[in-house]
C-alpha cells in the first residue's frame, strides 16, 4: 500500500516513564498538560450510507480531528461513534466494493496518511482494513489543497496531493487495495477532480484546472491501471466561467458532470466513444451550443443556466440516486435545489429553485424522507426538513440581536421550503474570547466571538449546571426543605415544606391559577396543615402510602391527610422505652428511621399499606388508629448520630419505593449501614483522613472521641446512578466520600471502589432529584455540585449559583422539573439545565464579531463587529453590550474604509501615569476605566495599511462616549495594558502611549463616526471636553525591527511580541528611561498566531502549522546567563502539535478552585490528596474549529504520572487507521519534524476513563498500578483542569 509506514505507537518506547521523574527538565514551562475542554464542532465533511449495518442509514461527519458516526432513527440522529483521529481530516468518502455488502470509509489526513475503515457490529467499534502513507519524497504540495476521490465502480481510489501528480490506488472487487502509483498531470494548478459515472471501459476523471492566464478549463482522462498511464478522455471544455470551482459527477443513466460556477451552472456530457483510441478529441468553447467542432463520432451535450447569485456556491449534495436533483448552498446560507430536467436518458434543461435559508454550509448531505444535514464550519450545523409547499418559519435575518439558550429563536417569520428541525451548536471559528466571572461565583465563563457573516454570534461557555431562576422569596433561616404530593398517584408536587429553628411552614401551589395564566403568574402561598406541629422544627417530611404525609419532629411522628392536612395519627417518642429526643430522621413511603440523642435507632412502619393509592379510604381513618404507625425494631448504634438516610435504590421515577438498607453517620467519624426495617448491622466504616476502613459484626458502644472536622459525616445518601448503586457521605469540611454497593438490597460497601474528594469548604448536604427520568444528586455547599452517572462512573458538574445550604426537587405545575434551593438570603426555585460538562448559550448578532473586551466596573462588553454588505465595502462597528443580558446598549460606526483591529479595557491613572485603581478618589477611580479600540484604514492601493486610529471610549449612562482619538501610522493589530498605559502593535513596531489629562484642542476636533447613536448610523459630531474626562494619548516610546507585530502580551514590565514571521521577541519596558528594549528572541522562523506569558521566565506560542511551543529565558534571566549571546536567546523548552489553528490565548480557568493547590500530587497515596492535583496555572485557548482547550502547568511529579499514562495508553490503545500518536503530536511544519517534548496529551490520558474494563486493566498493568488508583488520579486531573 503506497509506502510502508513505521508503527511508532509500538516501536517507540515511552518518552518518560513515571519512575524517571527526577530526570525531567526543571526549566520553566516544562510540565504542560494540554487537554480539550470543548471538542471541535466545525463540520467540514459529511457522507451518508449504510456503514454500521446493512439495514441502518448512517450520517458520518468529520470535525477536523474527530470522526462522528450517527444513526438515523425515527426520533432523529443518534450518535454511535465519536472517535479521535490522529490527523486533520482532509478527505472523507464512502464506497461499496463490487462484492461487498456494506459501505467502507476512505479517509485521508492533511499529512497524506490514509486508511480504509469498516465497522464491527458485534463489538461496536471501527475496524482498520487498510492504511498507508501517500507522501512522496519529492513534489510541491497542491496549491489548491488536497483532493481525494473514489471511482463510482470501486476500481480505484485517487488523490491529488502534489502539483502535476495524481495518486492512484487500485482495488479489487472485494475491496482489497493494491500497490499505489503516480500518474503525471500536465495541469499544474488543479482546482477540482471527480470520477465520472457510467464509464465501463476504464475509470475516468474530470480535471478542472486554471492556466497561467487564470482561465479555467475542464479535461477528462481515462486511467489505464494495467499500463499505469493516463489516456485522453471522451471530452474537454475550454474557457469556463472564471469562478467555476466544483465538478459534480452525475450518476447514470444521465452521466456527465455539473460544473458549478459563481454565476453560471453548466451540465456537460458525452455520448459515444472516440473512434481512435488515444486520440484527443477536439475541445469545445463554453459558448458553443452545438458540437460541430467535435469528431463526427463524438457528441457533446451541454446545458447552461445563469444563477445571478450574490455569493458563490460552497457545498452540494444529491437528493436522488440518479442525480437529477442536487442541493446547492451558497456563501450567504441560502439553500437551492438544482433540477436536471430529463427524459430518462438526456438532460433537457436546468432549473434552479431557492428553498430557504440555513447556516452557511461547508457540507450538505441528504438523508431520507425530505430530511437533510447541513454541516457548517461557519455557524451551527443543522438538521432540516425540505417541504414541497412553502411554510412559515422563523426569520434568522430579520433581527439584529437575539439571546437564546441553544440556537436562534427570533420572533419574525418568513415563507420558506426549509424547516429547521435541530441545531448542532458550533463555536467555530473562535477569533477572540474573554474570560469573565459574570455571576461572581468564582467559576469563570468564556465568551467567544464565533461564527462568520450572518451566523456571527457570541457564545457564553461555562462549566457546570445552570439554574434558571423562576421564583425567589426572602425566607432567611430555613433549616429543612421537602417536596410533597397531595395524592399517591399525583404527577406533580403540590406542597413545599420549609422548617425553621422553632417553626414549620407549608407552601402550596395554586394549580388553578397556574393553569389559567402564564408560567410567571403561578402562585406559591402558605397553607395550614392542622395536623402538623407548627411550632417545632421538622426533621423529616415525606409522602406515605395511603394518601398520607408524615412529619417527624424532635418530639415524635405525625401522620396527616395528604390533601387536607388533617391529623390522622400521632406517635410520641416519650412513650417509647428506647427513646430520647429525636435528633435526626429519614424515611421512605412505608418506613421512617429515627435517631435519638442517646444513640438509639428506632424503625417505624407507616401508612395505610392496605389502602389503594387511588381512593380516599385512608382519609376516613380515626387519628388514633395504631395501624398507621407501628414500631418495628430499635437498637443502640453506639454513638451520637449526626445524619441518617434510608432512601430506596432504583433509577429514575420508576425506582423502588421501599428501602432495604439504611445508613447512619456518627459524630465520632463513622458510617454504619443496617437493614431496614429490621436494623441488623451490615457494616461499620471509620472515616479517617486516609482510606475508609470497614468492619462488620455486632454494634459496639464506642468511647467518646473528638474527630477532626474533615472526618465527620454531615449527610449520607443511598442513590442509584447509571445502573450502579452508591452510598454518598458528605463531610463537615466540604469533602465527599463515595462507596459503591455490590447490589441494591444487601447494602454491602465495596471499599475497593471508595473515593474521597473535596467539593467545597463548608459542610455538605445531599439530596437526590430526577432530571429527564434519570437520577442525580445535588450536593449543597459553598460550591454546589451536581453528581451523576456517566459510563458506570461518577461525574461531577459545578452549579452556577452561590453558596447553597439545602436543595430538593420540586416538580410542580408552573415549576416543572425544578429545584428548590436554600441560601442565606432565602428560597429560590429554578429550572435545571441539561446535565452536561459544558453549557453553551448563544447570543445571535446577525453579523460577525471579531474582538471582545470586558469591563468589570461597568459590567459591559465591547464587541467589534463586521457587517457584510452585498454592495460596497463591509461596515465595522464598536458595540456596547450589557454583561448580564447581552443587550446591545450602544453602537459606534467606524469610518469608511476603516477596519477594526483590537480592543482592550484598562484603567488610566488620574495623573496620566497609571495606577488609576489605586490612586485618587472613588469618583476618579470610576472615571478612570476606558475602552481603547485600534483600527486601520484599508485601501486597495496599499499592500499594508499606512493609517489607523486609537479611539478612547468611556461608558456613561449605558452609552459609549468617545473622549479621545489618536492617529497612528499603520494598522493597530494588538493592544494591551502596561503600567496604566496602552501598548500597541502597529505594523512593524510596538509603541507605548500614555494618557495625559486635559488634552489639547486638536484632540477633539472633527471626530468622525456616530457618538451614542443608533446602530448602523454614520456621521460627524463634536464633543465638548468635560474637565473630568478631557485627555489625550501621547506616544512615550517604541520598539522597531519586527515584520508585523501581530500579538503582544504583558507581564509586569516584560513584553512578549508575536511576529508574523519572526517568532517571538521578549522586550523590557523601563519607566525610568521611558524606553523599550529587546532582551531576547526566538530565532526560529515561526509564523505566529498567538502568544501568552506563563511567568516571568516562561512563554507560550502558537504558530500557523498548528503547533504549540514554550520558551524560556536562557538561564532564567540575564543575571544567570553565561554570555551575552545566550542571554539574547529564548530557548525552546517544549513542543507539541495541537492540530488546531489557535487564534487566542487567555489566562484563566473553567474550574472553580475551592482551595489552593493540594499538598499532594495525583499519584501520592490514597488519601484525599489522591483526588486532588497541583495545578500551578492554566491558560485557555480558542481555535478555528471551535475548540476551547486548556494548557495546565503541573508539578513535576504529576507531570511524570500523566506522561506514564500517555505512554501506557499508546501501547494498549491504537489510533484509528493505525495512525501513530507519537508522530501526530510531534512538532511538524513544512521544513522539519521534531518529537513532542515537555507536553502531555491530556485528551489521550483522559480517554482512559472511557476504556472497557479489560483495556483499562492492561493500561494499569503497564503502569504497575491498580485500575482504581489510575482512575482516581486521572479523574483528579480532569476535575482540576476542566
Amino acid at each position: 500500500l503506497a509506502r510502508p509506514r513505521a508503527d511508532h505507537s509500538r516501536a517507540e518506547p515511552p518518552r518518560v516513564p513515571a519512575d524517571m521523574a527526577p530526570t525531567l527538565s526543571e526549566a520553566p514551562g516544562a510540565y504542560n498538560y494540554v487537554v480539550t475542554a470543548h471538542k471541535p464542532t466545525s463540520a467540514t465533511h459529511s457522507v451518508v450510507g449504510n456503514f454500521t449495518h446493512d439495514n441502518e442509514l448512517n450520517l458520518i461527519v468529520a470535525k477536523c480531528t474527530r470522526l462522528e458516526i450517527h444513526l438515523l432513527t425515527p426520533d432523529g440522529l443518534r450518535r454511535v461513534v465519536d472517535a479521535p483521529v490522529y490527523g486533520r481530516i482532509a478527505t472523507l468518502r464512502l464506497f461499496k466494493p463490487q462484492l461487498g455488502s456494506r459501505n467502507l470509509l476512505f479517509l485521508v489526513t492533511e499529512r497524506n496518511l490514509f486508511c480504509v475503515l469498516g465497522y464491527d457490529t458485534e463489538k461496536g467499534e471501527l475496524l482498520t482494513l487498510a492504511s498507508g502513507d501517500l507522501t512522496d519524497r519529492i513534489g510541491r504540495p497542491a496549491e489548491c489543497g488536497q483532493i481525494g476521490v473514489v471511482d463510482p465502480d470501486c476500481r480505484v481510489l485517487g488523490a491529488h496531493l502534489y502539483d502535476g501528480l495524481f495518486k492512484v490506488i487500485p482495488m479489487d472487487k472485494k475491496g482489497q487495495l493494491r500497490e499505489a502509483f503516480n500518474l503525471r498531470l500536465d495541469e499544474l494548478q488543479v482546482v477540482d477532480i471527480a470520477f465520472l459515472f457510467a464509464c465501463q471501459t476504464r475509470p475516468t476523471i474530470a480535471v478542472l484546472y486554471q492556466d497561467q492566464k487564470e482561465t479555467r478549463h475542464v479535461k477528462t482522462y481515462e486511467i489505464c491501471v494495467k499500463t499505469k498511464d493516463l489516456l485522453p478522455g471522451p471530452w474537454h471544455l475550454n474557457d469556463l466561467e472564471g469562478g467555476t470551482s466544483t465538478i459534480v459527477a452525475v450518476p447514470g443513466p444521465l452521466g456527465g458532470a455539473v460544473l458549478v460556477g459563481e454565476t453560471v451552472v453548466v451540465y456537460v456530457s458525452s455520448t459515444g466513444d472516440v473512434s481512435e483510441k488515444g486520440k484527443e478529441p477536439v475541445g469545445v468553447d463554453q459558448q458553443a451550443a452545438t458540437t460541430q467542432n467535435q469528431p463526427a463520432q463524438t457528441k457533446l451535450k451541454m446545458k447552461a443556466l445563469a444563477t445571478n447569485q450574490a455569493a458563490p456556491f460552497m457545498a452540494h449534495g444529491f437528493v436522488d440516486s440518479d442525480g437529477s436533483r442536487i442541493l446547492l448552498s451558497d456563501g450567504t446560507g441560502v439553500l437551492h435545489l438544482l433540477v436536471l430536467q430529463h427524459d430518462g436518458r438526456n438532460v433537457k434543461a436546468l432549473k434552479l429553485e431557492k428553498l430557504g435559508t440555513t447556516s452557511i454550509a461547508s457540507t450538505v448531505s441528504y438523508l431520507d424522507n425530505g430530511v437533510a444535514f447541513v454541516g457548517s464550519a461557519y455557524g451551527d450545523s443543522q438538521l432540516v426538513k425540505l417541504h414541497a409547499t412553502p411554510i412559515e418559519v422563523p426569520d434568522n435575518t430579520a433581527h439584529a440581536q437575539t439571546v437564546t439558550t441553544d440556537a436562534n429563536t427570533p420572533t419574525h417569520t418568513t415563507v420558506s421550503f426549509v424547516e429547521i428541525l435541530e441545531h448542532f451548536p458550533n463555536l467555530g471559528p473562535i477569533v477572540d474570547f474573554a474570560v469573565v466571572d459574570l455571576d461572581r461565583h468564582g467559576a469563570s465563563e468564556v465568551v467567544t466571538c464565533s461564527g462568520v457573516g450572518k451566523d456571527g454570534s457570541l457564545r457564553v461557555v461555562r462549566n457546570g449546571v445552570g439554574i434558571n431562576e423562576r421564583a425567589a422569596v426572602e425566607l432567611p433561616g430555613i433549616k429543612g426543605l421537602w417536596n410533597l404530593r397531595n395524592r399517591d398517584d399525583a404527577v406533580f408536587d403540590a406542597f413545599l415544606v420549609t422548617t425553621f429553628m422553632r417553626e414549620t411552614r407549608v407552601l402550596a401551589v395554586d394549580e388553578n391559577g397556574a393553569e389559567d395564566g402564564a408560567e410567571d403568574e403561578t402562585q406559591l402561598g402558605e397553607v395550614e396543615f392542622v395536623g402538623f406541629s407548627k411550632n417545632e422544627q421538622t426533621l423529616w417530611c415525606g409522602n406515605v402510602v395511603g394518601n398520607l404525609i408524615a412529619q417527624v419532629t424532635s418530639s415524635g411522628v405525625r401522620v396527616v391527610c395528604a390533601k387536607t392536612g388533617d391529623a390522622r395519627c400521632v406517635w410520641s417518642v416519650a412513650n417509647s422505652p428506647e427513646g430520647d429526643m429525636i435528633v435526626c430522621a429519614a424515611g421512605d413511603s412505608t418506613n421512617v428511621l429515627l435517631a435519638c440523642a442517646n444513640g438509639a435507632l428506632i424503625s417505624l412502619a407507616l401508612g395505610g399499606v392496605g389502602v389503594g393509592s387511588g381512593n380516599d379510604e385512608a382519609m376516613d381513618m380515626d387519628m388514633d388508629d395504631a395501624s398507621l404507625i407501628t414500631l418495628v425494631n430499635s437498637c443502640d448504634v453506639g454513638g451520637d448520630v449526626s445524619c441518617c438516610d434510608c432512601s430506596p435504590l432504583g433509577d429514575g421515577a420508576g425506582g423502588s419505593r421501599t428501602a432495604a438498607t439504611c445508613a447512619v453517620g456518627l459524630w465520632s467519624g463513622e458510617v454504619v449501614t443496617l437493614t431496614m426495617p429490621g436494623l441488623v448491622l451490615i457494616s461499620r466504616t471509620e472515616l479517617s483522613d486516609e482510606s475508609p476502613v470497614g468492619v462488620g459484626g455486632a454494634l459496639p458502644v464506642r468511647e467518646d472521641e473528638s474527630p477532626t472536622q474533615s472526618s465527620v459525616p454531615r449527610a449520607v445518601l443511598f442513590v442509584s446512578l447509571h445502573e450502579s448503586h452508591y452510598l454518598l457521605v458528605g463531610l463537615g469540611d466540604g469533602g465527599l466520600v463515595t462507596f459503591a454497593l455490590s447490589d441494591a438490597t444487601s447494602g454491602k460497601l465495596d471499599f475497593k471502589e471508595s473515593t474521597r474528594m473535596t467539593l467545597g469548604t463548608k459542610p455538605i448536604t445531599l439530596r437526590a432529584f430526577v432530571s429527564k427520568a434519570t437520577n442525580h444528586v445535588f450536593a449543597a455547599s459553598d460550591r454546589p455540585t451536581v453528581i451523576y452517572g456517566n459510563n458506570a462512573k461518577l461525574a461531577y458538574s459545578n452549579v452556577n449559583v452561590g453558596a447553597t445550604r439545602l436543595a430538593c426537587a420540586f416538580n410542580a405545575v408552573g415549576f416543572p422539573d425544578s429545584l428548590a434551593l436554600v441560601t442565606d438570603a432565602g428560597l429560590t426555585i429554578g429550572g435545571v439545565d441539561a446535565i452536561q460538562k459544558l453549557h453553551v448559550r448563544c447570543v445571535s448578532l446577525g453579523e460577525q464579531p471579531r474582538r471582545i473586551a470586558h469591563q468589570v466596573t461597568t459590567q459591559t462588553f465591547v464587541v467589534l463587529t463586521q457587517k457584510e454588505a452585498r454592495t460596497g465595502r463591509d461596515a465595522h462597528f464598536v458595540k456596547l453590550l450589557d454583561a448580564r443580558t447581552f443587550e446591545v446598549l450602544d453602537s459606534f460606526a467606524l469610518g469608511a474604509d476603516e477596519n477594526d483591529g483590537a480592543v482592550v479595557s484598562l484603567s488610566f491613572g488620574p495623573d496620566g501615569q497609571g495606577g488609576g485603581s489605586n490612586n485618587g478618589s472613588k469618583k476618579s477611580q470610576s472615571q478612570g476605566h476606558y475602552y481603547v479600540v485600534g483600527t486601520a484604514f484599508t485601501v486597495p492601493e496599499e499592500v499594508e495599511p499606512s493609517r489607523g486610529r486609537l479611539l478612547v471610549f468611556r461608558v456613561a449612562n449605558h452609552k459609549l462616549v468617545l473622549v479621545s482619538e489618536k492617529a497612528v501610522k499603520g494598522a493597530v493589530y494588538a493592544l494591551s495594558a502596561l503600567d496604566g498605559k496602552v501598548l500597541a502593535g502597529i505594523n512593524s513596531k510596538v509603541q507605548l502611549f500614555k494618557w495625559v489629562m486635559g488634552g489639547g484642542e486638536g484632540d477633539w476636533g472633527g471626530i468622525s463616526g456616530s457618538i451614542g447613536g443608533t446602530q448602523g448610523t454614520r456621521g460627524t459630531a463634536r464633543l465638548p471636553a468635560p474637565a473630568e474626562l478631557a485627555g489625550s494619548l501621547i506616544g512615550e516610546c517604541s520598539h522597531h525591527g519586527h515584520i508585523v507585530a501581530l500579538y503582544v502580551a504583558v507581564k509586569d514590565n516584560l513584553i512578549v511580541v508575536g511576529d508574523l514571521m519572526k517568532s517571538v521577541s521578549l522586550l523590557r519596558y523601563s519607566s525610568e528611561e521611558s524606553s523599550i528594549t529587546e532582551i531576547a528572541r526566538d530565532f526560529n522562523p515561526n509564523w505566529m498566531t498567538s502568544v501568552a506569558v506563563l511567568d516571568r521566565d516562561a512563554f507560550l506560542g502558537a504558530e500557523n502549522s498548528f503547533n504549540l511551543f514554550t520558551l524560556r529565558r536562557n538561564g532564567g534571566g540575564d543575571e544567570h546567563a553565561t554570555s551575552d549571546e545566550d542571554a539574547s536567546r529564548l530557548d525552546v523548552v517544549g513542543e507539541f502539535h495541537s492540530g488546531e489553528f489557535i487564534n487566542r490565548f487567555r489566562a484563566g480557568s473553567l474550574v472553580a478552585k475551592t482551595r489552593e493547590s493540594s499538598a499532594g500530587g495525583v499519584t501520592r497515596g490514597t488519601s484525599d490528596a489522591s483526588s486532588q492535583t497541583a495545578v500551578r496555572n492554566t491558560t485557555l485557548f480558542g481555535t478555528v474549529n471551535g475548540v476551547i482547550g486548556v494548557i495546565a502547568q503541573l508539578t513535576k511529579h504529576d507531570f511524570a504520572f500523566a506522561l506514564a499514562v500517555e505512554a501506557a495508553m499508546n501501547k494498549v490503545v491504537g489510533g484509528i487507521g493505525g495512525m501513530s500518536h507519537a508522530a501526530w503530536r510531534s512538532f511538524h511544519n513544512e521544513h522539519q519534524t521534531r518529537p513532542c517534548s515537555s507536553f502531555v496529551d491530556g485528551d489521550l490520558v483522559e480517554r482512559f476513563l472511557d476504556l472497557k474494563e479489560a483495556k483499562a486493566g492492561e493500561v494499569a498493568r503497564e503502569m504497575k498500578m491498580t485500575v482504581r488508583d489510575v482512575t482516581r488520579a486521572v479523574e483528579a486531573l480532569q476535575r482540576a483542569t476542566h
Side-chain angles (χ1 to χ4, degrees), residues 1100-1162:
L1100 177 66
E1103 50 93 71
N1104 69 339
S1105 294
F1106 320 119
N1107 298 302
L1108 287 169
F1109 60 92
T1110 54
L1111 303 166
R1112 69 173 175 90
R1113 300 173 65 185
N1114 200 324
D1118 294 353
E1119 62 275 12
H1120 299 102
T1122 57
S1123 65
D1124 292 341
E1125 181 179 353
D1126 292 337
S1128 65
R1129 186 176 67 250
L1130 291 175
D1131 290 339
V1132 177
V1133 177
E1135 294 177 314
F1136 180 83
H1137 186 79
S1138 69
E1140 291 284 342
F1141 193 101
I1142 297 174
N1143 275 324
R1144 185 70 67 194
F1145 290 120
R1146 298 286 188 195
S1149 173
L1150 290 170
V1151 180
K1153 299 295 191 298
T1154 59
R1155 292 179 174 178
E1156 296 299 325
S1157 296
S1158 169
V1162 294

Side-chain angles (χ1 to χ4, degrees), residues 649-707:
L649 290 171
D651 282 332
S656 172
R657 300 183 66 183
T658 303
T661 56
C662 66
V664 177
L666 305 181
W667 287 102
S668 58
E670 294 175 290
V671 172
V672 180
T673 59
L674 308 97
T675 62
M676 277 293 288
L679 299 183
V680 178
L681 175 66
I682 299 174
S683 67
R684 191 182 191 99
T685 306
E686 181 181 352
L687 300 177
S688 64
D689 288 338
E690 302 297 326
S691 294
V693 179
V695 297
L699 288 170
V701 178
R702 297 176 52 85
E703 297 180 358
D704 291 340
E705 295 183 4
S706 299

Side-chain angles (χ1 to χ4, degrees), residues 72-92:
L72 183 61
T73 70
D75 298 326
L77 294 177
R78 178 169 61 87
R79 187 166 58 190
V80 294
V81 174
D82 182 6
V85 178
Y86 295 154
R88 292 171 57 88
I89 299 173
T91 295
L92 191 70

Side-chain angles (χ1 to χ4, degrees), residues 420-461:
I420 308 298
L421 300 179
E422 187 176 358
H423 288 261
F424 303 93
N426 171 31
L427 268 62
I430 301 174
V431 295
D432 195 10
F433 67 94
V435 182
V436 297
D437 183 6
L438 298 178
D439 296 319
R440 305 294 181 89
H441 293 150
S444 296
E445 298 179 354
V446 172
V447 183
T448 69
C449 295
S450 301
V452 174
K454 74 174 184 63
D455 295 330
S457 65
L458 300 180
R459 302 297 172 108
V460 184
V461 184

Side-chain angles (χ1 to χ4, degrees), residues 299-455:
K299 183 178 180 182
L300 185 65
K301 299 178 296 183
M302 187 170 60
K303 300 294 179 181
L305 175 69
T307 62
N308 299 319
Q309 285 302 111
F313 293 110
M314 301 180 63
H316 70 275
F318 287 111
V319 174
D320 303 307
S321 58
D322 63 359
S324 60
R325 292 186 297 173
I326 305 173
L327 293 173
L328 296 175
S329 180
D330 65 24
T332 63
V334 177
L335 190 63
H336 304 260
L337 182 65
L338 177 65
V339 180
L340 278 60
Q341 298 176 338
H342 61 91
D343 58 5
R345 294 185 58 86
N346 301 311
V347 174
K348 300 298 183 180
L350 302 180
K351 184 179 180 182
L352 188 67
E353 296 182 1
K354 177 180 176 181
L355 300 180
T357 301
T358 66
S359 296
I360 301 174
S362 53
T363 178
V364 175
S365 294
Y366 182 81
L367 300 176
D368 198 6
N369 294 326
V371 177
F373 173 76
V374 177
S376 178
Y378 315 102
D380 290 346
S381 296
Q382 296 168 332
L383 201 63
V384 302
K385 175 75 173 178
L386 307 179
H387 291 270
T389 57
I391 61 172
E392 283 194 356
V393 297
D395 185 4
N396 293 334
T397 62
H399 64 288
Q401 189 235 12
T402 305
V403 181
T404 70
T405 57
D406 49 2
N408 297 334
T409 55
T411 57
H412 300 82
T413 60
T414 186
V415 174
S416 173
F417 292 91
V418 178
E419 178 188 1
I420 308 298
L421 300 179
E422 187 176 358
H423 288 261
F424 303 93
N426 171 31
L427 268 62
I430 301 174
V431 295
D432 195 10
F433 67 94
V435 182
V436 297
D437 183 6
L438 298 178
D439 296 319
R440 305 294 181 89
H441 293 150
S444 296
E445 298 179 354
V446 172
V447 183
T448 69
C449 295
S450 301
V452 174
K454 74 174 184 63
D455 295 330

Side-chain angles (χ1 to χ4, degrees), residues 67 85 89 91-92 105-109 113-115 117 1219:
L67 186 66
V85 178
I89 299 173
T91 295
L92 191 70
L105 192 62
F106 176 51
L107 184 150
V108 187
T109 71
L113 305 179
F114 84 93
C115 61
L117 302 176
M1219 298 179 189

